[in-house]
Amino acid sequence: MNTIGFALRLTIFGSSHGPGVGSVLDGCPAGIPITAEMVQREVDLRKPAPGIGTARAEEDVVQVQSGLLEGKTTGAPIQFFIANKDTDSSKYQAFRVTPRPGHADYPALVKYGQDHDIRGGGQFSGRMTAPLVAAGAVARSMLETKGIRIAAYSQAIGKVADDKEYAFPEIAENRFKHSTRAVSPRVAALMEKEILAASKEGDSVGGIVRCLMDGLPVGVGEPFFDTLDGELAKMMFAIPAVKGVEFGAGFSSAKMRGSEHNDPFRITNGEVRTETNHAGGILGGLSSGMPVDLKVAFKPTASISREQRTVDLSKKENAIVRVQGRHDPCIVPRAVVVVEAAAALVIADLSLRGGFFAR
Amino acid sequence: MNTIGFALRLTIFGSSHGPGVGSVLDGCPAGIPITAEMVQREVDLRKPAPGIGTARAEEDVVQVQSGLLEGKTTGAPIQFFIANKDTDSSKYQAFRVTPRPGHADYPALVKYGQDHDIRGGGQFSGRMTAPLVAAGAVARSMLETKGIRIAAYSQAIGKVADDKEYAFPEIAENRFKHSTRAVSPRVAALMEKEILAASKEGDSVGGIVRCLMDGLPVGVGEPFFDTLDGELAKMMFAIPAVKGVEFGAGFSSAKMRGSEHNDPFRITNGEVRTETNHAGGILGGLSSGMPVDLKVAFKPTASISREQRTVDLSKKENAIVRVQGRHDPCIVPRAVVVVEAAAALVIADLSLRGGFFAR
Amino acid sequence: MNTIGFALRLTIFGSSHGPGVGSVLDGCPAGIPITAEMVQREVDLRKPAPGIGTARAEEDVVQVQSGLLEGKTTGAPIQFFIANKDTDSSKYQAFRVTPRPGHADYPALVKYGQDHDIRGGGQFSGRMTAPLVAAGAVARSMLETKGIRIAAYSQAIGKVADDKEYAFPEIAENRFKHSTRAVSPRVAALMEKEILAASKEGDSVGGIVRCLMDGLPVGVGEPFFDTLDGELAKMMFAIPAVKGVEFGAGFSSAKMRGSEHNDPFRITNGEVRTETNHAGGILGGLSSGMPVDLKVAFKPTASISREQRTVDLSKKENAIVRVQGRHDPCIVPRAVVVVEAAAALVIADLSLRGGFFAR
Amino acid sequence: MNTIGFALRLTIFGSSHGPGVGSVLDGCPAGIPITAEMVQREVDLRKPAPGIGTARAEEDVVQVQSGLLEGKTTGAPIQFFIANKDTDSSKYQAFRVTPRPGHADYPALVKYGQDHDIRGGGQFSGRMTAPLVAAGAVARSMLETKGIRIAAYSQAIGKVADDKEYAFPEIAENRFKHSTRAVSPRVAALMEKEILAASKEGDSVGGIVRCLMDGLPVGVGEPFFDTLDGELAKMMFAIPAVKGVEFGAGFSSAKMRGSEHNDPFRITNGEVRTETNHAGGILGGLSSGMPVDLKVAFKPTASISREQRTVDLSKKENAIVRVQGRHDPCIVPRAVVVVEAAAALVIADLSLRGGFFAR
């Protein structure tokens, strides 16, 4: 359903082409500093960049209609609403009969019937992540009161990958300098080229977002099932187009020996640290005190302007569909702030659960 | 916490060296055929194999103490209990001071204090998956009444990977023929060698389990957050040692073009199918009608017999730890039936939620 | 927290004197007929009546910003927003120091600190029930597609009680004819007098709302804990000023003998019915097929214009407080539609859970 | 379903005539002092008293199979199991066709079909409260570490009511001195007579349990929906035979004026207290710092030995049923410790949620 989180609960609503999209964040302690401007700043980071992003021009003005008073949370639910302004629904009715490959159209029509709002993908739209980012701004502010910081970047776009092991501050400082959300200017240029090449061919590319969470206390996570990795993974798979999630050495762990994978503990500046971080900051579903290191794989945007093979559901025969409209040739750059917000919401929730916030 | 699922809810309890481990499965409709024998059969598939598994010899006799009557579920919660018989806790007290690398010891001690039951890893033990498998047997029986089947196998162990795209029946038929849970005899032999090589060196190896879920109706999953992929991922990360989860093309999606990744719909024998299955059977968090194709990456067993660097928590200084005791040099073969059970529980839960079971 | 329900989930947000109040209803099946007008009609029934109600004149225009398309639900969350227009917050700051007796001011200040929004009671305001009524309109429409109907009335106001055992149709037809929500004109006149008498003395009165739920299938409710009576009770206690809840013979059951209380089953027109309904339509937490018969006790409005004894929290000494502003001398008449909406939400949720709605 | 609570979660399982009944308590912080003996003591208080109780002689030996180590909780789930020893299921098969009035038989058969375990009422049995009491012992120990205490007593049995306003210590000290759980010897004697009179006539009586919760901090409860009163009410209605719940002045609030009902705040020994406690210790769903004052109404035991009118479900015609077996002529005395345990579980859960336990 459309609510996630336990002690800090996010509910989203709206659809791509309805009146708007919004969210309610419940469980935030009173007294967290947050203003509409702080929220707007995050939401703006999700906007498409000229050239490499969609032409749909949404202002994405966030209205905060509950839960704030004089720059602080009151302890009541916080509500965000973002009106849809630039919608063109004319192109979508055809997809009720000829569902778009790679989209939710077909299973959604089977599940909800013809009452499903298919315009712009309806409730399955990537636009649902805008109010998630708004709520994430509150979670981020919560976490910053405890010295916890989160930063993500485009680690790979198409065939361009940046395998440098950046330290947290380098990522935090540079991640929003380039429209591709690459950390280095060199990689940024390559990634931009990769996107434009696909775009020119009426095609799209995927990529990988890497997200570091720094400053977590030890012990965040609620075993056996509500683990730090499990909760992060569940949240990430809610972001449209995500196909894989891994922590630390991730899939490459499979090929490693235990003697290599196990991160040795060491006392460093009086603190317990590990020499390496193959565990990605998580042991037994709990934060280990090392940075949480998450990678999220995105498939290429399903909407491409080329003709595609599909079926005609009414006639039960093969057909062709052409997806017109305005789309991002690569959603990875816009997804970077979404992954950060999503991570912030999970960390804030589990930190609340673990008693790391006095209430 | 120790409960997962929404309409079908699993609660686990116990610890590695306490009286036993168990689980309660709630929400199962009345009338599902299940016997203690059917449950035992699944739990037995999780036992270590001679040679490549641990020497800890647990009988793992499952007692069913609630919810069954005359070979069927009654609609009441079903409870399983498996006594611990072969425990040797003498070796574990040292880890309260010198936590084992790669294990939950350190964060657990920080989280729960010295009241944490560290013997055998306590509530973080892989042994907690035994009652999960017991409950999974019920979920599997539920699903089979609807023609839904699940089969997993060892797709990779250490550097041995089997990249053949097996069809579902081939996996289903062969997966438990070899102690490594490889599908083919050739790969099984290679994997066994890989495990024994690590074992001989006092080391361990990781691997990848691939799991196919066949016969799902279209529309299983509850967007925006309780997606089919998200719920499966959360469940998988609860299994100790899991470091990554992907569906269909997974991480390799990142490098693909949309025109390549999008699975074209086709009418096949009067049904809507896709030509390829890069989506791994999931679109928009909903089942598409194609087999759900999941890969789960396991790190090498954290317990290795070699000396390892750690810290002494009482003195706040570097130290050495030696992990004695009995351990699997590779947990992947035993994890295969665990992944199946975990998947069955998620699919059964979401199928119930989606109304695919009349109650 | 601010979410209730399991398969049908209501989240409320807002505060008495902030931008507005609203709610999100999630889990409603697609295709339920509902329009903004249907919702508005219910919300209007909650408005204060001239003479016996508060002078605060809120238009209470409901905006539906998500989840509807062409007069039907789409399966996505449904969102309601009601702007606050007629607020006067000037009178409330004093209550941060001298909390009002009978209100949440004191515990809320302890719980949330000075960031608590105390204006108009903030998130504790009776105004939060307006978006609950809006959501209830959808639940009611859901239930009507299954022949389930709900009707409540003022059974007692102050010392005026109406002990007649009305049948369901009589209640349904007459309950909104009088501003006091009495069923009979005679009782309505007496109740009005009772309210005006209290009002003239700067005082307030309480009362009892009786609510019948008719047409439920047998077996609604999810034992052991999510019982039909338990879920209704929890929901009712969320309505401000509720102090007691009983079903059927309720508290008078305590004095009865089993031979008198047990409702004998009889075949009536081919159906299983009971001769009496001391059980109030609930056996073992499940609907029995007889009308669910609920009584809800409301205390007198806490806001009265008389001087009251309180404490000065800053000086830790006794003090006097005078509650100015505009208040209902009796909230029972306005609560009638709130109780109906609250009941509809619970019944719809449990009916969904029980599989009485195909999805 | 069979799980209740949020941060402290109770799951129950078992049935009246199956292998046994049990429960799992999850979320309890590590380090709470508890032994099997402490648990057994509470469970023993639920046993039937000679003369006024049932002849079914269950030893009710509690096994604790998880979560305790050296007299303290470990932070892992705590599991309790109580074997059924003295069962006689022969009498129950008839009720599949001729359901007992006042019992769950009829709706349970409709809901679960013939797979429902009807023996002894199955999962609807009052016996399910035994493992609830076991878990309550842990909650009680948790609360005692914070100075929170709970005590209940039989306030009314049949027509004998004890309207004296006992202070907390008087109740706490005397409540288990008499088998009827009356506070005073005089009332105890009258109540015993009342029960025996009903019993002699093959009949049963109901009653009222009053429960005080003392020493709660201010602010326990999670508005808008997870209120202190709402959560207590939901839990109480799970106890078989409960028909009404009220707090403080409860239903009599309906007849009061606001000037009378509002409890004036006063500084007493430097603390904020109220002069009266019509609110029953709850304002706006939050604890006010005054004792929580709860009354729970129980109907007379449904099982009576007299012949009763029912229906034959197979023939769809009227019939007669005779309920043989062993039953309590009044369950109120045994319910006293159940109400206490149920209250302790709710208070501990909400206290955890409110951050009153450091974790």
Side-chain angles (χ1 to χ4, degrees), chain C residues 259 262 264, chain D residues 101 201-202 304-310 319-323:
Chain C
S259 57
N262 285 352
Chain D
E201 298 173 34
I304 55 175
S305 57
R306 296 180 180 194
E307 226 175 59
Q308 293 182 85
R309 281 168 298 154
T310 186
I320 291 292
V321 69
R322 191 147 201 152
V323 182

Side-chain angles (χ1 to χ4, degrees), chain D residues 211-224:
Chain D
C211 181
L212 288 190
M213 296 150 247
D214 193 59
L216 268 77
V218 179
V220 175
E222 298 296 323
F224 194 78

Side-chain angles (χ1 to χ4, degrees), chain A residues 1-4 6 10 12 99-104 106-108 110-112 123-125 128-129 132 157-159 194 197-198 201 203-208 218-227 229-231 233-235 237-240 242-247 250-251 253-259 261-267 270-272 275 278-280 282-284 286-288 295-304 306 308-313 316-319 353-354, chain B residues 1-4 6 10 12 99-104 106-108 110-112 123-125 128-129 132 157-159 194 197-198 201 203-208 218-227 229-231 233-235 237-240 242-247 250-251 253-259 261-267 270-272 275 278-280 282-284 286-288 295-304 306 308-313 316-319 353-354:
Chain A
M1 291 169 83
N2 296 277
T3 296
I4 196 165
F6 181 83
L10 175 70
I12 61 163
R100 295 168 294 171
H103 276 284
Y106 170 62
V110 172
K111 190 177 183 73
Y112 301 105
Q123 59 172 311
F124 294 87
S125 171
M128 304 309 297
T129 59
L132 189 153
I157 284 183
K159 295 195 162 75
E194 185 85 357
E201 298 173 33
D203 215 333
S204 62
V205 278
I208 294 172
V218 178
V220 175
E222 298 295 324
F224 195 77
F225 294 113
D226 303 343
T227 58
D229 30 5
E231 295 288 353
K234 178 177 168 177
M235 178 66 100
F237 278 108
I239 304 173
V242 169
K243 299 308 288 181
V245 162
E246 63 178 15
F247 295 89
F251 272 86
S253 307
K255 293 188 187 131
M256 292 166 82
R257 286 284 179 89
S259 57
H261 193 281
N262 284 351
D263 303 305
F265 290 109
R266 296 283 87 179
I267 298 291
E271 303 220 323
V272 178
E275 275 185 12
H278 297 123
I282 303 176
L283 289 170
L286 301 173
S287 61
S288 69
K295 284 210 195 81
V296 185
F298 287 83
K299 69 175 185 180
T301 318
S303 291
I304 55 175
R306 295 179 179 194
Q308 292 183 86
R309 282 168 299 156
T310 185
V311 291
D312 182 311
L313 294 172
K316 284 271 185 183
E317 61 181 33
N318 290 337
R353 294 179 67 173
Chain B
M1 293 169 82
N2 296 278
T3 297
I4 196 165
F6 181 84
L10 175 69
I12 61 163
R100 294 168 294 169
H103 276 285
Y106 170 61
V110 172
K111 189 177 184 75
Y112 301 104
Q123 59 172 313
F124 294 88
S125 170
M128 304 309 296
T129 59
L132 189 152
I157 284 183
K159 295 193 163 76
E194 186 85 357
E201 298 174 32
D203 215 335
S204 61
V205 278
I208 295 172
V218 178
V220 174
E222 297 295 322
F224 195 76
F225 293 114
D226 303 345
T227 57
D229 30 5
E231 295 289 353
K234 177 176 168 177
M235 178 65 99
F237 278 108
I239 303 173
V242 170
K243 299 308 288 180
V245 163
E246 63 178 16
F247 295 90
F251 273 85
S253 307
K255 293 187 185 130
M256 292 165 82
R257 287 283 179 90
S259 57
H261 193 281
N262 285 351
D263 302 306
F265 290 109
R266 297 283 88 179
I267 298 290
E271 303 221 323
V272 177
E275 275 184 14
H278 297 123
I282 304 177
L283 289 171
L286 301 173
S287 60
S288 70
K295 283 209 196 82
V296 184
F298 287 82
K299 67 174 185 181
T301 317
S303 291
I304 54 176
R306 295 180 179 193
Q308 293 183 85
R309 282 169 298 156
T310 185
V311 291
D312 181 311
L313 293 172
K316 284 267 183 187
E317 63 182 32
N318 290 337
R353 293 179 68 174

Side-chain angles (χ1 to χ4, degrees), chain D residues 152-189:
Chain D
Y153 65 99
S154 297
Q155 192 263 326
I157 284 182
K159 296 195 161 74
V160 180
D162 184 350
D163 292 327
K164 203 177 149 193
E165 283 290 323
Y166 296 105
F168 184 84
E170 205 171 349
I171 300 168
E173 201 178 314
N174 296 292
R175 70 203 199 275
F176 293 123
K177 287 194 177 152
H178 312 287
S179 59
T180 55
R181 306 312 184 209
V183 171
S184 91
R186 192 186 59 81
V187 175

Side-chain angles (χ1 to χ4, degrees), chain B residues 175-192:
Chain B
R175 71 204 200 274
F176 294 124
K177 286 194 177 154
H178 313 286
S179 59
T180 54
R181 308 309 185 211
V183 171
S184 90
R186 191 187 58 83
V187 175
L190 292 170
M191 286 179 167
E192 194 167 333

Side-chain angles (χ1 to χ4, degrees), chain C residues 1 111 203-204 219 221-222 225-226 234 243 245 247 258-259 262 266-267 275 279 302 308-310 318, chain D residues 1 111 203-204 219 221-222 225-226 231 234 243 245 247 258-259 262 266-267 275 279 302 308-310 318:
Chain C
M1 291 170 81
K111 190 176 184 75
D203 215 333
S204 62
E222 297 296 323
F225 293 115
D226 303 344
K234 178 177 168 178
K243 299 307 288 181
V245 162
F247 295 90
S259 57
N262 285 352
R266 297 283 88 178
I267 299 290
E275 275 185 13
Q308 294 182 85
R309 282 169 298 156
T310 186
N318 290 337
Chain D
M1 291 168 82
K111 190 177 184 74
D203 215 333
S204 62
E222 298 296 323
F225 293 114
D226 303 344
E231 295 288 354
K234 177 177 168 178
K243 299 308 288 182
V245 162
F247 295 90
S259 57
N262 285 351
R266 297 283 87 180
I267 299 291
E275 276 185 12
Q308 293 182 85
R309 281 168 298 154
T310 186
N318 290 336

Side-chain angles (χ1 to χ4, degrees), chain C residues 1-4 6 10 12 99-104 106-108 110-112 123-125 128-129 132 158-159 197-198 201 203-208 218-219 221-227 229-231 233-235 237-238 240 242-247 250-251 253-259 261-267 270 272 275 278-279 282-284 286-288 295-302 304 306 308-311 313 316-319 353-354, chain D residues 1-4 6 10 12 99-104 106-108 110-112 123-125 128-129 132 158-159 197-198 201 203-208 218-219 221-227 229-231 233-235 237-238 240 242-247 250-251 253-259 261-267 270 272 275 278-279 282-284 286-288 295-302 304 306 308-311 313 316-319 353-354:
Chain C
M1 291 170 81
N2 296 277
T3 296
I4 197 165
F6 181 84
L10 175 70
I12 61 162
R100 294 168 294 170
H103 276 284
Y106 170 61
V110 172
K111 190 176 184 75
Y112 302 104
Q123 59 172 311
F124 294 87
S125 170
M128 303 310 296
T129 58
L132 189 152
K159 296 193 163 76
E201 297 173 34
D203 215 333
S204 62
V205 278
I208 294 171
V218 178
E222 297 296 323
F224 195 78
F225 293 115
D226 303 344
T227 57
D229 30 4
E231 294 288 352
K234 178 177 168 178
M235 178 65 100
F237 278 109
V242 169
K243 299 307 288 181
V245 162
E246 63 178 15
F247 295 90
F251 272 86
S253 307
K255 294 189 185 127
M256 291 165 83
R257 286 283 179 91
S259 57
H261 192 282
N262 285 352
D263 303 305
F265 290 109
R266 297 283 88 178
I267 299 290
V272 178
E275 275 185 13
H278 297 123
I282 303 176
L283 289 170
L286 300 173
S287 60
S288 69
K295 284 209 194 83
V296 185
F298 287 82
K299 69 175 185 179
T301 317
I304 55 175
R306 296 180 180 193
Q308 294 182 85
R309 282 169 298 156
T310 186
V311 290
L313 294 172
K316 284 270 183 184
E317 62 181 33
N318 290 337
R353 294 179 68 174
Chain D
M1 291 168 82
N2 296 278
T3 296
I4 196 165
F6 181 84
L10 175 69
I12 61 163
R100 295 168 294 171
H103 276 284
Y106 171 60
V110 173
K111 190 177 184 74
Y112 302 104
Q123 58 172 312
F124 295 88
S125 169
M128 304 309 296
T129 59
L132 189 152
K159 296 195 161 74
E201 298 173 34
D203 215 333
S204 62
V205 277
I208 295 172
V218 179
E222 298 296 323
F224 194 78
F225 293 114
D226 303 344
T227 58
D229 30 4
E231 295 288 354
K234 177 177 168 178
M235 179 65 100
F237 277 108
V242 169
K243 299 308 288 182
V245 162
E246 63 177 15
F247 295 90
F251 272 85
S253 307
K255 294 190 184 128
M256 292 165 82
R257 286 284 179 91
S259 57
H261 193 280
N262 285 351
D263 303 305
F265 290 109
R266 297 283 87 180
I267 299 291
V272 178
E275 276 185 12
H278 298 122
I282 303 176
L283 289 170
L286 301 173
S287 61
S288 70
K295 283 209 195 83
V296 184
F298 287 81
K299 69 175 185 180
T301 317
I304 55 175
R306 296 180 180 194
Q308 293 182 85
R309 281 168 298 154
T310 186
V311 291
L313 294 172
K316 285 272 185 181
E317 62 182 33
N318 290 336
R353 294 180 66 174

Side-chain angles (χ1 to χ4, degrees), chain C residues 70-152:
Chain C
E70 296 168 15
K72 285 190 183 166
T73 56
T74 66
I78 308 161
Q79 192 257 19
F80 306 95
F81 189 71
I82 302 170
N84 294 329
K85 301 278 188 181
D86 186 24
T87 58
D88 172 6
S89 307
S90 59
K91 308 284 178 16
Y92 288 89
Q93 295 310 320
F95 307 147
R96 292 190 181 280
V97 177
T98 51
R100 294 168 294 170
H103 276 284
D105 296 349
Y106 170 61
L109 287 166
V110 172
K111 190 176 184 75
Y112 302 104
Q114 288 294 329
D115 295 304
H116 170 54
D117 181 359
I118 206 168
R119 303 167 305 159
Q123 59 172 311
F124 294 87
S125 170
R127 186 153 176 74
M128 303 310 296
T129 58
L132 189 152
V133 170
V138 179
R140 194 192 289 275
S141 181
M142 276 179 69
L143 294 175
E144 282 174 358
T145 67
K146 302 287 170 191
I148 304 172
R149 292 185 310 152
I150 294 174

